[in-house]
Amino acid sequence: MDIFRDISSLKKRLYQAKLEGKSIGLVPTMGALHLGHATLIKAAIEENEVSVCSIFVNPTQFNNSNDLSVYPRTLENDTKLLETLGCDILFCPEVEEIYKEKAVLNFDFGHLENVMEGAFRPKHFNGVALIVSKLFHIVDPERAYFGQKDLQQFKVVSQLVQDLSFNIELKCIPIVREDDGLAMSSRNVRLSKEGRIKAASINKMLVKGESLLKQGKLFSDIKDSLLDDLHSQGMEVEYCELVETNALNKINAISRHQLSAICVAVVVEGVRLIDNRIF
Ligand code: AMP
């Protein structure tokens, strides 16, 4: 695997691949890689002649400086995992390489950035759109891989690709879970043993929610009781919404004509976890 820390050598390597007519698949990550990331990387390897994984803990998407400073950084292990998977290129720049000057550009994704994650993490999607745009320009991939785990992020990136005419096919990869159903996340390592067990209730709540909604229940009638179990274990629920998956508008019942998702953000032992279930 070739490892690049600077943009110009990465571009030189990719220019060569492009001259040879090779397709490029990009997987943007913040590292502390787990099997969820590995699924995206495997897809990029299978579907492209050159696979690129970026590892960059992007400061502009963190609205909480403590969250940024405690974000796990495990570059050595990540490199080993990428080697084992057969990834061709790792791009792991320093912050100064990406933000030579402070970025001032402001995106406005309207409703998409004001609900759920956007409401609780002001400017988060602005930072996401900035880094994703930069990576798209630097790597210029045919395909880019994102996880359904960050459903709202996928919607924002889809809007970005559409509005800025990026010629990139976006792939949304289903959520990879631990055996007990907890969505894999780089943040899970910050949980204690007890916190880790508690966190498995998040997925149980989503599964129960789907089942009740499929029985014809209204979300407003079941929401409180769905969240009882999380609250009783001392978890703080930032939001829990039923939305349609197109524009992420809130709905109160599921319909046969469109996909719906329950999206949730929960704080367990000071660790913020998000999850969702589409049906
Ligand atoms: P992150 O490093 O957390 O920014 O995640 C990088 C990419 O991996 C994002 O597109 C995430 O949605 C995706 N991802 C994170 N966790 C999972 C998971 N458990 N299953 C599938 N994809 C995931």
Side-chain angles (χ1 to χ4, degrees):
M1 181 171 68
D2 296 329
I3 302 176
F4 297 98
R5 290 184 171 274
D6 71 290
I7 297 171
S8 66
S9 355
L10 171 70
K11 277 188 146 179
K12 258 185 229 152
R13 164 75 167 84
L14 291 173
Y15 181 68
Q16 194 52 43
K18 278 177 196 149
L19 275 184
E20 293 164 17
K22 291 183 172 160
S23 59
I24 296 169
L26 170 68
V27 183
T29 82
M30 297 203 297
L33 300 181
H34 50 66
L35 294 180
H37 295 114
T39 312
L40 275 66
I41 293 154
K42 279 186 201 157
I45 293 171
E46 267 165 35
E47 295 171 10
N48 302 276
E49 285 153 296
V50 178
S51 49
V52 182
C53 176
S54 63
I55 294 184
F56 181 67
V57 183
N58 175 37
T60 62
Q61 73 187 69
F62 284 80
N63 53 312
N64 177 329
S65 56
N66 182 52
D67 194 22
L68 172 63
S69 63
V70 299
Y71 198 85
R73 288 159 168 90
T74 57
L75 191 58
E76 209 174 303
N77 284 343
D78 293 351
T79 309
K80 282 186 202 144
L81 175 65
L82 291 170
E83 296 264 16
T84 312
L85 292 170
C87 183
D88 297 305
I89 296 175
L90 165 60
F91 178 48
C92 48
E94 295 292 337
V95 172
E96 298 70 34
E97 179 68 4
I98 295 294
Y99 295 104
K100 292 201 162 86
E101 306 282 338
K102 189 176 179 300
V104 293
L105 181 60
N106 265 304
F107 293 86
D108 182 352
F109 293 96
H111 172 74
L112 265 187
E113 72 164 48
N114 292 326
V115 291
M116 301 195 292
E117 286 300 284
F120 283 88
R121 304 183 72 186
K123 290 280 160 205
H124 168 67
F125 288 118
N126 200 66
V128 169
L130 256 179
I131 186 60
V132 169
S133 303
K134 281 172 179 276
L135 289 169
F136 283 179
H137 282 304
I138 294 166
V139 177
D140 189 20
E142 265 71 31
R143 293 176 198 88
Y145 297 79
F146 294 86
Q148 179 206 313
K149 173 152 174 300
D150 297 88
L151 178 63
Q152 195 172 355
Q153 167 174 282
F154 187 77
K155 291 287 157 188
V156 166
V157 174
S158 302
Q159 191 73 51
L160 181 79
V161 162
Q162 183 182 311
D163 288 1
L164 294 182
S165 306
F166 280 111
N167 190 16
I168 297 173
E169 184 188 351
L170 295 181
K171 298 273 190 162
C172 189
I173 306 292
I175 302 175
V176 180
R177 299 181 178 280
E178 303 284 357
D179 288 343
D180 63 3
L182 175 64
M184 290 190 182
S185 163
S186 306
R187 291 185 161 94
N188 292 352
V189 295
R190 292 179 50 212
L191 296 171
S192 73
K193 214 170 164 193
E194 296 79 57
R196 175 63 195 71
I197 293 167
K198 281 184 192 173
S201 312
I202 301 168
N203 181 54
K204 293 200 183 87
M205 179 279 287
L206 293 173
V207 172
K208 190 168 164 196
E210 173 181 356
S211 152
L212 292 171
L213 289 163
K214 282 185 171 166
Q215 290 166 28
K217 299 257 180 359
L218 292 177
F219 190 63
S220 53
D221 290 340
I222 60 169
K223 184 172 169 178
D224 287 346
S225 72
L226 276 180
L227 298 181
D228 271 352
D229 186 34
L230 303 185
H231 286 140
S232 69
Q233 295 184 69
M235 288 181 246
E236 179 200 334
V237 180
E238 280 193 351
Y239 64 80
C240 178
E241 305 289 359
L242 177 68
V243 295
E244 47 75 29
T245 59
N246 198 27
L248 303 186
N249 287 313
K250 280 189 205 178
I251 50 176
N252 199 23
I254 57 171
S255 124
R256 239 179 257 163
H257 309 292
Q258 61 182 178
L259 284 173
S260 320
I262 305 179
C263 300
V264 67
V266 177
V267 183
V268 187
E269 298 178 331
V271 182
R272 191 172 183 281
L273 303 175
I274 59 169
D275 200 349
N276 67 74
R277 189 167 176 91
I278 298 182
F279 40 90

